[in-house]
Amino acid sequence: MKQQSLSSFSLLFLFLYFTNTLAQLSPAAAPAQPLPSAPVKAPPAPPPALPPSTVQVQPSKGPLDVVKILGKASHFSVFVRLLKATQVDSELFLQLNNTNNGATILAPTDGAFSGLKVGTLNSLSDGDKIELVKFHVVPEAISTTQFETVSNPIRTLAGAGKRFALNVTTGNSMVNITTGLTNTTISGTVYADNRLAIYQIDNVLLPLDMFTPKTAAPAPSPSSLKAAPAPEKATNSTPDTDTPVTDPKNVSASEGFCFGNNVVLLAAAIASAVLGF
């Protein structure tokens, strides 16, 4: 029994000895590698800036004032300044409140004016600015559905015809406006009732005649610079019947004849006085 216990102890001792030896001889365990972290995503890019949304002003009691309506809608400050500077705002106020005439205003946004070439407005005369503002006003109220039946070119307060041609086409629920230089669409309704309609447009309407460079007159050709022949002196081939034509020779003879007759008469008178006849 005692020997069996010693044998078991010896086996346990040998097991522990060999286990410790093998642990010392085995290579050190590689340190645990950190788990790869997920890539950090960049924050999403902000969405592109959109044009200012149309603020539709609700009709209210009181006189119709285009300047106040556009002021409530915001982003029309440049167009409002032009309305005041040209006094077209006063003309519209009288038209809308003292007559039965309506109006449709195609109002360019501030962004539309910033898209013009630098110095465009400053290069215009006062008369041109008045015509430019009036070119954005139609002297009758037109609803969005009525644009489908209007006759082109549309007459504006600036006039009609070739000088101020404004054409409207519709399609795909859009109203397209062209002037020959500008091509834009109605992007929203600012105000609408049975007397006044104000629509937002994102481009300034430029009249073709006003903003097209005038061509210079062609220089005259060298052949056209030749001196014109001098006018011929007028000759009268027919003698004037009121003025008698006298031959100079005949005039001298008649004068001599008259002088001789006078001498003879004077001599006869002297002889008669002396002789007492």
Side-chain angles (χ1 to χ4, degrees):
M1 189 68 180
K2 186 177 180 180
Q3 290 180 351
Q4 186 177 1
S5 298
L6 290 173
S7 298
S8 299
F9 179 79
S10 299
L11 291 174
L12 178 60
F13 177 79
L14 291 174
F15 175 78
L16 294 175
Y17 174 80
F18 284 112
T19 301
N20 187 33
T21 302
L22 290 174
Q24 292 177 355
L25 294 176
S26 61
Q33 297 294 330
L35 296 176
S37 60
V40 179
K41 294 182 179 180
L50 298 175
S53 59
T54 305
V55 177
Q56 185 164 356
V57 179
Q58 298 301 320
S60 59
K61 294 181 180 180
L64 288 173
D65 192 329
V66 173
V67 169
K68 288 184 178 180
I69 294 173
L70 290 174
K72 292 179 181 179
S74 71
H75 59 266
F76 293 102
S77 58
V78 178
F79 189 57
V80 168
R81 286 201 302 269
L82 284 173
L83 285 169
K84 292 180 178 180
T86 57
Q87 297 183 357
V88 176
D89 62 326
S90 300
E91 183 177 340
L92 287 171
F93 188 88
L94 293 175
Q95 175 177 323
L96 294 171
N97 297 288
N98 295 345
T99 71
N100 294 324
N101 298 327
T104 298
I105 300 175
L106 305 171
T109 62
D110 292 338
F113 282 100
S114 64
L116 293 176
K117 185 179 178 180
V118 176
T120 297
L121 293 180
N122 293 333
S123 65
L124 299 178
S125 65
D126 292 342
D128 288 340
K129 289 178 183 178
I130 293 174
E131 289 184 333
L132 178 63
V133 174
K134 288 187 174 183
F135 190 54
H136 291 76
V137 182
V138 180
E140 61 176 315
I142 304 176
S143 66
T144 52
T145 57
Q146 289 174 330
F147 277 113
E148 300 176 0
T149 58
V150 296
S151 299
N152 288 318
I154 296 179
R155 180 177 176 273
T156 67
L157 285 184
K162 203 171 187 181
R163 177 169 168 77
F164 295 102
L166 184 68
N167 295 286
V168 173
T169 56
T170 58
N172 299 324
S173 302
M174 298 180 66
V175 179
N176 189 67
I177 304 171
T178 58
T179 70
L181 290 176
T182 305
N183 186 19
T184 188
T185 58
I186 290 177
S187 56
T189 300
V190 179
Y191 183 92
D193 63 15
N194 59 346
R195 296 285 311 286
L196 174 64
I198 303 179
Y199 300 107
Q200 172 180 304
I201 56 176
D202 299 324
N203 295 91
V204 180
L205 302 177
L206 302 179
L208 180 64
D209 183 75
M210 184 183 299
F211 289 91
T212 300
K214 304 298 187 294
T215 56
S221 59
S223 59
S224 64
L225 298 177
K226 292 180 180 179
E232 297 180 359
K233 294 183 179 180
T235 57
N236 190 358
S237 59
T238 304
D240 188 356
T241 56
D242 294 335
T243 305
V245 179
T246 307
D247 188 352
K249 295 181 180 180
N250 294 335
V251 171
S252 300
S254 60
E255 288 178 352
F257 178 77
C258 293
F259 178 77
N261 288 340
N262 290 335
V263 172
V264 173
L265 291 175
L266 179 60
I270 293 173
S272 175
V274 173
L275 297 177
F277 292 142

